[in-house]
Amino acid sequence: MKRKTTLGEFIIQQQSEYPEARGEMSQLLSALMVSGKIINKQVQHGGLTEGVLGATEAENVQGETQQKLDILANNIIIEAFEQRQEVCGVASEENEKVVLLDKKYKENGKYVLLIDPLDGSSNIDITVSVGTIFSIYRRITPEGSEAVLPDFLQPGRQQIAAGYIIYGSSTMMVYSTGNGVNGFTLDPSSGVFFLTHPNIQIPETGPYYSVNEGKMHLFPENYQAYIASCKLQADQQGALIDGRYTGSLVADFHRSLLKGGIYLYPPSTFHPDGKLRLLYECNPLAFLCEQAGGKATNGQQRILDLQPTELHQRCPLVIGSPKMVEAFEAF
Ligand code: P6P
């Protein structure tokens, strides 16, 4: 039986479709792949590695306690890009300001990278899946100068690539460069990512809705009404729609992408704009979801059309199977 295509081979095949490509995007994706393998090793070792689990005394710019692995993952990714020339700056959930990469030659980088280095990290200590989310834009200010905020505050529809690495029962890298979504599974014995989920299409509808029911009473009426309707609905086969919520966005999104379903992080009295961040959580997943045939909205607008104004701004997120998001929009 012919062996599966590796991620490296796939990247090269994709690049060959762009004769003018100089391989920078390929290099960028390879750096993310390498970072994912290194982070995976730390995540999978969990409590076996002294001092890796648990929280630090530090808080990130969101005022959230930083897990030790958050910081580790952030450093692993930034260091990977300091060794290369494609990226002139990184915006991260873990850094208040944009990280300008080493001045030596970084100002020639054509791309900017936005990351949530380890989303859902509070789940690590209980061995629930976590993930790295990434979003890539071409810079809009002239090369040769330092990257500036406008390079990062672009609408999500300008993304040229986005994806995630999910560290779960298996480790997968799922990404898109604008021509569909492909999923690669890491073979731990060889350290190679193999193409296991070619051309992912999200099912039009699905068997799950995913929301933090504990906060239901804080949500706006229309969200409560839609969620109540999910509890009453049965799908074509008469099966009820189930609730599934892991508290890890990447895991909840990955399930919706593969099985069909809808994930909601609504506005609430605690979080009037929702809790999730537009630039490095909502935009990359919205890009992927649309590439797979799904939809993503903030309750009023298409996520990818939102014009960002701040690096760490939050936005409500309703994302997943198109028919389920449309049903929500009717509320
Ligand atoms: P809540 C994790 O902190 C995260 O950013 C997402 O991964 C997750 O979906 C969400 O927050 C969980 O938030 O308020 O439901 O605990």
Side-chain angles (χ1 to χ4, degrees):
M1 187 178 79
K2 187 174 176 311
R3 71 161 171 76
K4 296 184 187 312
T5 305
T6 69
L7 175 52
E9 291 161 350
F10 185 84
I11 291 172
I12 291 165
Q13 285 163 15
Q14 293 285 304
Q15 179 189 316
S16 63
E17 287 171 24
Y18 299 92
E20 80 287 352
R22 291 168 24 210
E24 286 137 320
M25 174 52 71
S26 302
Q27 287 295 329
L28 215 167
L29 291 168
S30 300
L32 286 165
M33 170 176 67
V34 170
S35 305
K37 288 183 191 177
I38 299 169
I39 295 168
N40 177 62
K41 187 164 175 296
Q42 294 296 339
V43 168
Q44 299 305 342
H45 277 215
L48 294 173
T49 313
E50 196 48 45
V52 152
L53 286 189
T56 64
E57 281 71 53
E59 284 190 348
N60 63 17
V61 64
Q62 332 290 341
E64 289 168 355
T65 305
Q66 290 180 301
Q67 304 296 323
K68 289 172 188 156
L69 267 176
D70 277 339
I71 308 284
L72 201 56
N74 198 44
N75 295 342
I76 288 166
I77 297 171
I78 291 175
E79 281 156 18
F81 285 94
E82 278 175 342
Q83 312 307 322
R84 297 163 181 264
Q85 302 194 31
E86 301 77 24
V87 168
C88 57
V90 181
S92 167
E93 180 190 75
E94 303 308 328
N95 298 84
E96 183 162 3
K97 302 221 179 311
V98 163
V99 179
L100 295 176
L101 296 179
D102 183 299
K103 293 220 180 331
K104 214 164 46 257
Y105 45 67
K106 287 296 163 235
E107 288 152 10
N108 298 326
K110 235 163 67 182
Y111 301 103
V112 293
L113 173 69
L114 299 92
I115 53 171
D116 181 355
L118 208 57
D119 180 80
S121 51
S122 52
N123 279 316
I124 289 171
D125 295 5
I126 54 164
T127 324
V128 164
S129 303
V130 292
T132 296
I133 309 174
F134 59 89
S135 168
I136 299 162
Y137 294 85
R138 204 179 296 284
R139 68 179 300 175
I140 54 173
T141 54
E143 289 179 35
S145 59
E146 273 191 2
V148 288
L149 214 43
D151 289 313
F152 297 85
L153 299 183
Q154 300 182 49
R157 62 175 179 271
Q158 303 289 105
Q159 289 173 100
I160 53 162
Y164 57 83
I165 300 157
I166 180 167
Y167 312 100
S169 46
S170 57
T171 294
M172 280 191 71
M173 180 156 157
V174 179
Y175 79 91
S176 172
T177 55
N179 293 306
V181 180
N182 292 282
F184 301 80
T185 302
L186 179 65
D187 168 9
S189 58
S190 63
V192 177
F193 277 98
F194 287 99
L195 177 61
T196 49
H197 296 67
N199 190 27
I200 298 173
Q201 296 290 315
I202 190 168
E204 281 215 329
T205 180
Y208 301 120
Y209 71 95
S210 189
V211 68
N212 182 341
E213 303 258 7
K215 295 189 166 107
M216 178 78 91
H217 57 295
L218 305 174
F219 298 155
E221 288 293 306
N222 61 322
Y223 284 87
Q224 294 193 38
Y226 171 71
I227 294 163
S229 77
C230 287
K231 295 178 198 254
L232 301 174
Q233 252 169 48
D235 63 19
Q236 287 83 344
Q237 292 71 37
L240 281 177
I241 293 181
D242 286 326
R244 284 280 190 287
Y245 192 72
T246 71
S248 214
L249 171 63
V250 175
D252 286 323
F253 176 75
H254 189 64
R255 181 195 54 247
S256 305
L257 184 67
L258 297 189
K259 302 286 182 200
I262 188 167
Y263 173 93
L264 306 98
Y265 205 104
S268 70
T269 40
F270 285 157
H271 289 123
D273 292 324
K275 172 185 175 186
L276 303 178
R277 292 82 170 182
L278 173 58
L279 290 185
Y280 40 78
E281 289 174 327
C282 300
N283 267 336
L285 297 187
F287 181 79
L288 279 182
C289 194
E290 290 198 6
Q291 282 290 317
K295 293 190 81 167
T297 171
N298 70 347
Q300 266 85 36
Q301 274 181 276
R302 178 180 177 235
I303 292 282
L304 296 183
D305 286 338
L306 298 175
Q307 174 55 55
T309 52
E310 287 160 40
L311 218 42
H312 302 290
Q313 74 184 73
R314 300 174 192 270
C315 88
L317 178 65
V318 179
I319 188 169
S321 293
K323 291 229 179 307
M324 297 179 87
V325 175
E326 283 156 12
F328 162 77
E329 286 171 325
F331 281 79

